[in-house]
Amino acid sequence: QVRLVESGGGLVQAGGSLRLSCAASGSIGSINAMGWYRQAPEQPRELVATITTGGSTNYADSVKGRFTITRDNAKNTVHLQMDSLKPEDTSIYYCAAYFQQSGVIIGTIYWGQGTQVTVSS
């Protein structure tokens, strides 16, 4: 079992920045990738950004150039720096951790409790 604890959400004006963090604990050896997904009301959960233990990253087209995902393997922590925020970025952001091989998720996806990000216009 992997436990994920998120922090850093909040309210910001359009054009502003926020930084989300997610700390993993528990069976860390069972995962090799972490990332962020988001879900707006009545919308499906969507990928925002992911990063592997090797440092390979993947971003949704909608956030490329504005969001940056990084990780500290020693602390089992992943960060999402969100710049140039837009009202359409408003959502609940969920941290995720899983094992992947060649980009395919294998087995259980562990989820955090979610943190609200609200961008006002």
Side-chain angles (χ1 to χ4, degrees), residues 45-94:
R45 191 169 296 188
E46 62 177 4
L47 178 148
V48 176
T50 63
I51 187 167
T52 68
T53 51
S56 296
T57 58
N58 183 40
Y59 293 93
D61 288 342
S62 60
V63 307
K64 283 181 180 176
R66 301 188 298 121
F67 291 11
T68 304
I69 189 169
T70 57
R71 69 180 295 158
D72 183 336
N73 288 335
K75 296 182 179 179
N76 300 314
T77 300
V78 64
H79 305 285
L80 184 68
Q81 178 65 40
M82 304 185 292
D83 298 318
S84 302
L85 282 160
K86 305 175 181 179
E88 51 263 44
D89 294 317
T90 295
S91 193
I92 300 175
Y93 284 69
Y94 295 91

Side-chain angles (χ1 to χ4, degrees), residues 102-118:
S102 299
V104 177
I105 296 174
I106 299 172
T108 302
I109 301 175
Y110 301 97
W111 295 99
Q113 77 281 5
T115 184
Q116 178 70 45
V117 171
T118 302

